[in-house]
Amino acid sequence: AIGDDRILDDLLAIYPELNSSDQAAVLRTIAQIDRRRFLDFAPTAFQTDERSVVSTLADILKKTPSLDAIEVLIIAARQAEDDSPQLTYSMQALGNTYSPQSREFLVELRDTGSEKKQELARNALQSLYYRSPAHSYAQQAVRSSSEGKKSQAVQQFTLAIEADSSYPQAFHGRGDAYRSQNEMEKALQDYNTLLKLDPKWPGGHASRGQTLSALARFEEALPDLDIAIKTQPDNADWYSARGHAYSMLEQFQPAEEDYRKALEL
């Protein structure tokens, strides 16, 4: 409470000998006196299975608005074992630190990590998007769209994008609103941006594939519809859409197979 940077060397020297409660107290003290020193020491401090220490670290880092703090959390999550407290607390903290870096890492981990890491990444992404400055605009837009106010929904989704240009929900929602107004080229642009932000965004490939079909670009539509079916093999709409693309390309055998599958579902 009364110390300054002169006490830090002594605290760090005795840190390994302390119990977990006192280690957590030291971490809070270092962060209060010298953030840079804390960030430098945090990766070393993360190398423990003591939950109270790890939770303290994660709590301090999520309240430290800097790219360095986010990088420490990303490294901790990347290196952590599935059953470790480091993984759980670092992922929860990343879900509370909205930035392009944390979003990109969580998307990567959701798609390439272990089953446990993928689950934690999905949960963290939901928390992250909820904290986006675009969230409230997008919620208003969804309500407008459900009420049939498509032009108003486009305006509100645009406000969401202006507030956060890496918010995928807004691009998907605006693309759908454009498509409902038969503005297919604009819809396609939004779906392209969406899939650059998140190549595995739910429904993104299906929406782009259907839009490409509406633009009579059937050959281009097929890969997107293939991905949509692979992702959601029980969705009859995707088989029907791909069957339509095949039939327009005069590939009638696969078209008939897709139509039959759609009817079966």
Side-chain angles (χ1 to χ4, degrees), residues 3-14:
D4 57 21
D5 58 358
R6 291 172 293 177
I7 71 171
L8 296 184
D9 287 338
D10 288 335
L11 288 177
L12 289 169
I14 65 171

Side-chain angles (χ1 to χ4, degrees), residues 209-227:
Q210 289 177 309
T211 304
L212 286 166
S213 284
L215 290 167
R217 293 162 63 174
F218 303 110
E219 198 74 51
E220 295 174 67
L222 286 174
D224 276 325
L225 295 171
D226 288 342
I227 293 171

